[in-house]
Amino acid sequence: APDASRGAWLPGFDAVVSACRGSQALAERQSERHGYYEEVEPLLDVLCAAFASDVLKRLVPCDGGFSPDGLVASGKVPPIHERLLQSLCNVLEEDGVLEPAVDGLRWVPEAGLPDPQSVWLSLLGDYPDHAAEIMLAGRAGLHLHGVLTGEHDPAARTPRVCESNTFAQFVGGSPTLRRIDRTIGTLVDDALARRPNQARVRVLVLSICQSRVAAAVVGRANFAHCDVVLGTGDADALVMLEELIDHHPAAEAYHVDLEDPPSRWGLGKSAPFDLIVLGSVLNEFADPQESLAELRQLAGPGGMLAVVEQRPSRWADLVFGLDPAWWHSAERSAGLLTVSTPQQVIDCLNSAGCRNTALLADQPDGESGPYIVLADPAAEIEIPPVARHHRHYLLVHDHAGYSAAMA
């Protein structure tokens, strides 16, 4: 059994949350990200809407009404893309380009959108630091009509997280994700700073494919006093992780089957961990609640659990929604980006027994962007006992048979 005193030197949950939220770097990051939320993101939303409008106007006349069901029934849109079609219509309703009508929807007069390719080229020229996500959106938009009408294979037009070079550039260099690196770095730094001379900090990172989270931990870890275990569900990513830690003997990399319970991964010999980081893997678990409950058992006293995820967005729906599996989480393959709202993650952690949780994000009340939910694995939810009341029952029975025997 783990020594209960080993984590006594680690900062408490509230102290860690304060360190992450109150650092000077956080204020700088919020200022740095202000431009993204005020400029880049709204223009990406316009780009997605412009592509949606352009495609739908090629399918239905601007002077008549239509319904998504009707487009599917007429054969213009295959049934497998009905969810994608509905998403495009929802976007245009939100932006006031479509409005409800007797027969479904109709175009709002004089409520047009700019040419999508013009918006795309303008974004690339004005915001080169965000070129990767802009390129992904533009590429998806150019293929949108072919995919929506069934002319193109959606799998061939949807970037795979583990295979797409452009997505690798997004993961590896986009300012959108830099805040996550720094916050994870703060968690590692804080544990190392409070470490007694003889203690070692143990960190477990689970990720898929190209992982900024793993690189952030390895980059900040002082391997003279820190042990790092990296796990991934992708064989190619394992090679990358092994290259990442090639010169760090205090780090190890493993291939794990994320659909199996963590108790089958064989990581118990490296436990207990002071920090467990889940980098966009929550939706890869066959049973997230069960997996989180078992991961809690791998955390040592005073340990911390950090769940890194991405909020839903128009951008993600356009880029990955070309694949019908995107709209059905149970069928979603490991090659697609995963998205969750912070509340969904917090609810999952609560269901797994974690009581203390905290959201770290540029905009805690925002509707987009990456975020981290911190949890205290040792603080359990207290389930109140069910109140028992004295009750009276009336039993009506026959003169013979089972009911008479019961009476």
Side-chain angles (χ1 to χ4, degrees), residues 263-300:
S263 56
R264 298 183 186 176
W265 294 348
L267 301 180
K269 62 183 182 297
S270 303
F273 295 100
D274 303 306
L275 175 62
I276 299 175
V277 184
L278 307 184
S280 298
V281 299
L282 193 59
N283 290 304
E284 303 297 329
F285 294 143
D287 186 334
Q289 180 178 330
E290 178 187 354
S291 293
L292 286 173
E294 289 198 7
L295 283 169
R296 289 181 58 215
Q297 306 307 313
L298 296 178

Coordinates of all heavy atoms in Angstrom, one line a residue, residues 263-300:
S263 N -6.9 -0.7 -14.8 CA -6.3 -1.8 -14.0 C -5.6 -2.8 -14.9 O -4.7 -3.6 -14.4 CB -7.3 -2.5 -13.1 OG -8.4 -3.0 -14.0
R264 N -5.9 -2.9 -16.2 CA -5.3 -3.8 -17.1 C -4.0 -3.3 -17.8 O -3.4 -3.9 -18.7 CB -6.3 -4.3 -18.1 CG -7.5 -5.0 -17.5 CD -8.4 -5.5 -18.6 NE -9.6 -6.1 -18.1 CZ -10.6 -6.6 -18.9 NH1 -10.5 -6.5 -20.2 NH2 -11.7 -7.1 -18.3
W265 N -3.7 -2.0 -17.6 CA -2.6 -1.4 -18.3 C -1.2 -1.8 -17.8 O -0.2 -1.5 -18.5 CB -2.8 0.2 -18.3 CG -4.0 0.7 -18.9 CD1 -4.8 0.0 -19.8 CD2 -4.5 2.0 -18.8 NE1 -5.8 0.8 -20.2 CE2 -5.7 2.0 -19.6 CE3 -4.1 3.1 -18.1 CZ2 -6.5 3.2 -19.7 CZ3 -4.9 4.3 -18.2 CH2 -6.1 4.3 -19.0
G266 N -1.2 -2.3 -16.6 CA 0.1 -2.7 -16.1 C 1.0 -1.5 -15.6 O 2.2 -1.6 -15.5
L267 N 0.3 -0.4 -15.2 CA 1.0 0.8 -14.7 C 1.1 0.8 -13.2 O 1.7 1.7 -12.6 CB 0.4 2.1 -15.2 CG 0.3 2.2 -16.7 CD1 -0.4 3.5 -17.0 CD2 1.6 2.2 -17.3
G268 N 0.5 -0.2 -12.5 CA 0.4 -0.2 -11.1 C 1.8 -0.2 -10.4 O 2.0 0.4 -9.4
K269 N 2.8 -0.8 -11.1 CA 4.1 -0.8 -10.5 C 4.8 0.6 -10.4 O 5.7 0.8 -9.6 CB 5.0 -1.8 -11.3 CG 5.3 -1.4 -12.7 CD 6.1 -2.4 -13.5 CE 6.4 -2.0 -14.9 NZ 5.1 -1.9 -15.7
S270 N 4.3 1.5 -11.3 CA 4.9 2.8 -11.2 C 4.1 3.8 -10.3 O 4.6 4.9 -10.0 CB 4.8 3.5 -12.7 OG 5.5 2.7 -13.6
A271 N 3.0 3.3 -9.8 CA 2.1 4.1 -8.9 C 2.8 4.1 -7.5 O 3.6 3.3 -7.2 CB 0.7 3.6 -8.9
P272 N 2.3 5.1 -6.6 CA 1.3 6.1 -6.8 C 1.9 7.3 -7.6 O 3.1 7.6 -7.5 CB 0.9 6.4 -5.4 CG 2.2 6.2 -4.6 CD 2.8 5.1 -5.2
F273 N 1.0 8.0 -8.3 CA 1.4 9.2 -9.0 C 0.9 10.5 -8.3 O -0.2 10.5 -7.7 CB 0.7 9.2 -10.4 CG 1.3 8.1 -11.3 CD1 0.5 6.9 -11.4 CD2 2.5 8.2 -11.9 CE1 1.0 5.9 -12.2 CE2 3.0 7.1 -12.7 CZ 2.2 6.0 -12.9
D274 N 1.7 11.5 -8.3 CA 1.4 12.8 -7.7 C 0.6 13.7 -8.7 O -0.1 14.6 -8.2 CB 2.7 13.5 -7.3 CG 3.5 12.7 -6.4 OD1 3.0 12.2 -5.4 OD2 4.7 12.5 -6.7
L275 N 0.7 13.4 -10.0 CA -0.1 14.2 -11.0 C -0.4 13.2 -12.1 O 0.4 12.5 -12.7 CB 0.8 15.3 -11.5 CG 0.1 16.1 -12.7 CD1 -1.2 16.8 -12.2 CD2 1.1 17.2 -13.2
I276 N -1.7 13.1 -12.4 CA -2.2 12.3 -13.5 C -2.9 13.3 -14.5 O -3.8 14.0 -14.2 CB -3.2 11.3 -13.1 CG1 -2.6 10.3 -12.1 CG2 -3.8 10.5 -14.3 CD1 -3.5 9.2 -11.5
V277 N -2.4 13.3 -15.8 CA -2.9 14.2 -16.8 C -3.5 13.4 -17.9 O -2.9 12.6 -18.5 CB -1.7 15.1 -17.4 CG1 -2.3 16.1 -18.4 CG2 -1.0 15.8 -16.2
L278 N -4.8 13.8 -18.2 CA -5.5 13.1 -19.3 C -5.6 14.1 -20.4 O -6.3 15.1 -20.3 CB -6.9 12.7 -18.8 CG -6.9 11.8 -17.6 CD1 -8.4 11.4 -17.3 CD2 -6.0 10.6 -17.7
G279 N -4.9 13.9 -21.5 CA -4.8 14.8 -22.6 C -5.8 14.4 -23.7 O -5.4 13.6 -24.6
S280 N -7.1 14.8 -23.7 CA -8.1 14.6 -24.7 C -8.3 13.1 -24.9 O -8.5 12.6 -26.0 CB -7.7 15.2 -26.0 OG -7.6 16.6 -25.9
V281 N -8.3 12.3 -23.8 CA -8.6 10.9 -23.9 C -9.9 10.5 -23.2 O -10.3 9.3 -23.3 CB -7.4 10.1 -23.3 CG1 -6.1 10.3 -24.0 CG2 -7.3 10.4 -21.8
L282 N -10.6 11.4 -22.5 CA -11.7 11.0 -21.8 C -12.8 10.3 -22.6 O -13.4 9.3 -22.2 CB -12.4 12.2 -21.1 CG -13.4 12.0 -20.0 CD1 -12.8 11.2 -18.9 CD2 -14.0 13.3 -19.5
N283 N -13.0 10.8 -23.8 CA -14.0 10.2 -24.7 C -13.5 8.9 -25.4 O -14.3 8.3 -26.1 CB -14.5 11.2 -25.7 CG -15.3 12.3 -25.1 OD1 -16.3 12.1 -24.5 ND2 -14.9 13.6 -25.3
E284 N -12.2 8.6 -25.2 CA -11.7 7.4 -25.8 C -11.9 6.2 -24.9 O -11.8 5.0 -25.3 CB -10.2 7.5 -26.1 CG -9.8 8.7 -27.0 CD -10.4 8.5 -28.4 OE1 -10.5 7.4 -28.8 OE2 -10.6 9.6 -29.0
F285 N -12.3 6.4 -23.6 CA -12.5 5.3 -22.7 C -13.9 4.7 -23.0 O -14.8 5.4 -23.3 CB -12.6 5.9 -21.2 CG -11.3 6.4 -20.7 CD1 -11.3 7.5 -19.9 CD2 -10.1 5.8 -21.0 CE1 -10.1 8.0 -19.4 CE2 -8.9 6.3 -20.5 CZ -8.9 7.4 -19.7
A286 N -13.9 3.4 -22.9 CA -15.2 2.6 -23.2 C -16.2 3.0 -22.1 O -17.4 3.2 -22.4 CB -14.9 1.1 -23.2
D287 N -15.7 3.2 -20.9 CA -16.6 3.6 -19.8 C -15.8 4.7 -19.0 O -15.0 4.4 -18.1 CB -16.9 2.4 -18.9 CG -17.9 2.8 -17.8 OD1 -18.0 4.0 -17.4 OD2 -18.6 1.9 -17.3
P288 N -16.0 6.0 -19.4 CA -15.2 7.1 -18.7 C -15.4 7.1 -17.2 O -14.4 7.3 -16.5 CB -15.8 8.3 -19.3 CG -16.4 7.9 -20.6 CD -16.9 6.5 -20.4
Q289 N -16.6 6.8 -16.7 CA -16.8 6.8 -15.2 C -15.9 5.7 -14.6 O -15.3 6.0 -13.6 CB -18.2 6.7 -14.9 CG -18.5 6.7 -13.4 CD -20.0 6.5 -13.1 OE1 -20.9 7.0 -13.9 NE2 -20.4 5.9 -12.0
E290 N -16.0 4.5 -15.1 CA -15.2 3.4 -14.5 C -13.7 3.7 -14.6 O -13.0 3.4 -13.7 CB -15.6 2.1 -15.3 CG -14.8 0.9 -14.8 CD -15.0 -0.4 -15.6 OE1 -15.9 -0.3 -16.5 OE2 -14.3 -1.4 -15.4
S291 N -13.3 4.2 -15.8 CA -11.8 4.4 -16.0 C -11.3 5.5 -15.0 O -10.3 5.4 -14.4 CB -11.5 4.9 -17.4 OG -11.8 3.8 -18.3
L292 N -12.1 6.6 -14.8 CA -11.7 7.6 -13.9 C -11.7 7.1 -12.4 O -10.8 7.4 -11.7 CB -12.7 8.8 -14.0 CG -12.6 9.7 -15.2 CD1 -13.7 10.7 -15.2 CD2 -11.2 10.4 -15.2
A293 N -12.6 6.3 -12.1 CA -12.7 5.7 -10.8 C -11.4 4.8 -10.5 O -10.8 4.9 -9.4 CB -13.9 4.8 -10.6
E294 N -11.0 4.1 -11.6 CA -9.8 3.3 -11.4 C -8.5 4.1 -11.4 O -7.5 3.8 -10.7 CB -9.7 2.2 -12.5 CG -10.7 1.1 -12.4 CD -10.4 -0.1 -13.2 OE1 -9.3 -0.2 -13.7 OE2 -11.2 -1.0 -13.2
L295 N -8.5 5.2 -12.2 CA -7.3 6.1 -12.2 C -7.2 6.8 -10.8 O -6.0 7.1 -10.4 CB -7.5 7.2 -13.3 CG -7.2 6.7 -14.7 CD1 -7.7 7.8 -15.7 CD2 -5.8 6.4 -14.9
R296 N -8.3 7.0 -10.1 CA -8.2 7.6 -8.8 C -7.3 6.7 -7.9 O -6.6 7.2 -7.0 CB -9.6 7.8 -8.2 CG -10.4 8.8 -8.8 CD -11.7 8.9 -8.1 NE -11.6 9.2 -6.7 CZ -12.4 8.7 -5.7 NH1 -13.4 7.9 -6.1 NH2 -12.2 9.0 -4.5
Q297 N -7.4 5.4 -8.1 CA -6.7 4.4 -7.3 C -5.1 4.5 -7.6 O -4.3 4.0 -6.8 CB -7.2 3.0 -7.5 CG -8.7 2.8 -7.3 CD -9.2 3.3 -6.0 OE1 -8.6 3.0 -5.0 NE2 -10.2 4.1 -6.0
L298 N -4.8 5.0 -8.7 CA -3.4 5.2 -9.1 C -2.7 6.5 -8.5 O -1.5 6.6 -8.6 CB -3.2 5.2 -10.6 CG -3.5 3.9 -11.3 CD1 -3.3 4.1 -12.8 CD2 -2.7 2.7 -10.8
A299 N -3.6 7.4 -8.0 CA -3.1 8.6 -7.4 C -2.7 8.4 -6.0 O -3.3 7.7 -5.2 CB -4.2 9.7 -7.5
G300 N -1.5 9.0 -5.6 CA -1.1 8.9 -4.3 C -1.7 10.0 -3.4 O -2.5 10.9 -3.9

